[in-house]
Amino acid sequence: MELSRPDIEALRELLASPARKIVTLSHTNPDGDAVGSSLAWAEALRRAGHTVTCIVPNKYPYYLDWMAGIRDIVIFKHDDEQRAARAVEEADLIFCLDFHSLSRLDALSDVIAANTSARRILIDHHLNPTEPFDLSFSHPESSSTCYLIYRIIEALWGRQSISKSQAEVLYVGMMTDTGNFSFSFLTPDLFHAVAALVETGIDVPTIYNNVYNSFTEGRARLFGYVINRKMRILRRGTVAHMSLTEEEMRRYWFQQGDSEGFVNYPLTIKKMKMSAIFIEHHDFIRVSLRSRGDVDVNLFAGRYFNGGGHRNAAGGKSFEPMAQTIARFERAVDEFAAEGLL
Ligand code: 5GP
Ligand code: MN
């Protein structure tokens, strides 16, 4: 992956005048990459003399609570609509991290639309960004936004500038978006970056345990339930789907983040090509999709669920009830297969 020299110089220029008011934004249901990239970038900007407010639309999952600086993130939906709106209103620069369309901000997108004077800079690795930006680092060939942030910090200030606390949060995003370094885009350069992070003294096993071995008992039981009772397998073992209603989640004391990773599990079955989970929210159903190899769930999510993401990991929404959502998915799978896409 190569960064554009002119774009890096344009970014350097934007950051050259001290004491800019800066907002970083990331997507709804912020994950390790969203939070890690926001925190690491904020630390770099603050060190360069700027005032930074990190904002996310809703709460991050509890297994990220341990991350340094996470409590300073403004959570639009729960704690602080006014504070978020004020920071956005006053911002000179708005960095959009780890998302490619304002629709991924839900209600927060109206607040962003209200500030028309701030420069907007995209740093992201999703396919097909839809909004115009003043400056854009859009790299779908990067495994995570944290890796992009690493490369941008390296280009602007050198890798020696990366502190241990930045390295820790960058590692979280690189680790979670690659499924602990097991998905795609695992380039030699990524591992060089990881080596540089490890050189700052971060404790890799502790980070792993903090993220992956810190769930609740309810989550373990919900996982058993959804795999055992709710997984349906179609098309001779190549497609799986699962669903969770609000009532089922309440039964297992569901907390935000508890369903993270469930959708990956059917892909541990040999020959499985595509997996989906449907999770009921108050007024819509969140659709999560994963695939192996050439099966393009970014295309699938865009076509049938008004969403997107990456080729092997994508998502969208359904505004129909659960039964209709599942029926629509099954019809879509047949259509996709008939076109030779599955
Ligand atoms: P997850 O299944 O982990 O929520 O999301 C997988 C990938 O799909 C992520 O990269 C995420 O950004 C993307 N994604 C999830 N939901 C949506 C959505 O509603 N719209 C779009 N465009 N992308 C989504
Ligand atoms: Mn990401």
Side-chain angles (χ1 to χ4, degrees):
M1 188 203 84
E2 286 313 316
L3 297 174
S4 140
R5 272 281 131 210
D7 287 350
I8 286 291
E9 291 317 312
L11 181 57
R12 196 191 298 282
E13 189 74 13
L14 281 177
L15 298 174
S17 104
R20 294 270 203 186
K21 292 201 179 78
I22 298 179
V23 159
T24 74
L25 297 173
S26 201
H27 58 79
T28 300
N29 296 338
D31 55 10
D33 194 29
V35 172
S37 57
S38 300
L39 293 175
W41 188 230
E43 186 179 327
L45 294 172
R46 286 187 188 120
R47 230 186 290 142
H50 305 291
T51 305
V52 188
T53 308
C54 298
I55 306 174
V56 291
N58 64 341
K59 182 90 171 76
Y60 43 80
Y62 60 90
Y63 55 79
L64 300 179
D65 279 346
W66 59 275
M67 290 171 78
I70 200 165
R71 276 185 185 68
D72 299 332
I73 295 180
V74 178
I75 301 163
F76 177 69
K77 192 163 161 188
H78 291 282
D79 48 44
D80 237 332
E81 292 201 11
Q82 291 309 323
R83 203 173 136 210
R86 211 173 326 113
V88 169
E89 196 179 303
E90 292 172 357
D92 310 310
L93 302 177
I94 298 177
F95 283 94
C96 297
L97 306 178
D98 198 38
F99 67 96
H100 63 329
S101 136
L102 291 185
S103 69
R104 295 280 287 136
L105 297 176
D106 293 331
L108 180 55
S109 65
D110 298 336
V111 176
I112 307 310
N115 180 338
T116 50
S117 62
R119 304 283 185 86
R120 294 172 190 204
I121 303 110
L122 177 75
I123 303 178
D124 178 51
H125 69 132
H126 292 89
L127 291 159
N128 320 321
T130 53
E131 255 73 37
F133 287 90
D134 296 296
L135 188 57
S136 174
F137 296 87
S138 169
H139 288 272
E141 76 284 18
S142 174
S143 54
S144 61
T145 299
C146 278
Y147 176 58
L148 272 174
I149 292 288
Y150 170 89
R151 292 289 301 272
I152 291 171
I153 292 175
E154 182 188 39
L156 289 175
W157 297 292
R159 72 173 62 160
Q160 301 309 328
S161 75
I162 294 175
S163 69
K164 186 176 170 188
S165 56
Q166 276 175 311
E168 201 164 63
V169 297
L170 288 174
Y171 186 83
V172 169
M174 293 181 193
M175 175 182 80
T176 53
D177 264 30
T178 59
N180 199 28
F181 305 98
S182 65
F183 301 154
S184 23
F185 307 115
L186 301 176
T187 60
D189 282 347
L190 171 67
F191 288 100
H192 287 138
V194 170
L197 300 184
V198 173
E199 274 168 6
T200 68
I202 61 169
D203 181 348
V204 168
T206 298
I207 297 174
Y208 181 92
N209 275 314
N210 283 345
V211 173
Y212 289 117
N213 296 333
S214 297
F215 292 117
T216 60
E217 177 189 340
R219 194 257 186 187
R221 294 194 186 282
L222 178 65
F223 181 53
Y225 169 76
V226 77
I227 291 294
N228 190 22
R229 305 283 298 279
K230 304 296 300 288
M231 182 171 66
R232 301 280 171 270
I233 293 189
L234 320 171
R235 302 196 67 83
R236 297 178 311 285
T238 58
V239 176
H241 69 72
M242 300 172 281
S243 62
L244 282 172
T245 64
E246 287 190 294
E247 188 279 318
E248 288 168 319
M249 292 187 282
R250 265 197 301 276
R251 233 190 279 161
Y252 293 93
W253 319 284
F254 186 87
Q255 296 180 48
Q256 162 84 24
D258 272 354
S259 59
E260 197 63 39
F262 287 5
V263 67
N264 296 311
Y265 203 76
L267 289 174
T268 62
I269 304 168
K270 199 169 180 175
K271 292 203 205 131
M272 192 62 71
K273 291 183 180 170
M274 178 172 164
S275 167
I277 191 165
F278 310 106
I279 297 182
E280 191 175 70
H281 287 246
H282 187 56
D283 42 8
F284 66 95
I285 291 171
R286 178 164 292 287
V287 181
S288 268
L289 300 159
R290 297 292 184 272
S291 66
R292 246 207 299 255
D294 293 338
V295 176
D296 186 348
V297 287
N298 174 60
L299 178 67
F300 189 95
R303 256 204 212 173
Y304 304 108
F305 293 104
N306 199 21
H310 315 280
R311 189 183 56 181
N312 295 133
K317 285 179 179 173
S318 164
F319 295 93
E320 294 176 314
M322 190 61 88
Q324 280 91 319
T325 299
I326 292 173
R328 163 196 276 271
F329 173 80
E330 293 188 349
R331 277 196 310 275
V333 162
D334 287 339
E335 192 177 296
F336 219 54
E339 289 180 46
L341 297 170
L342 194 72

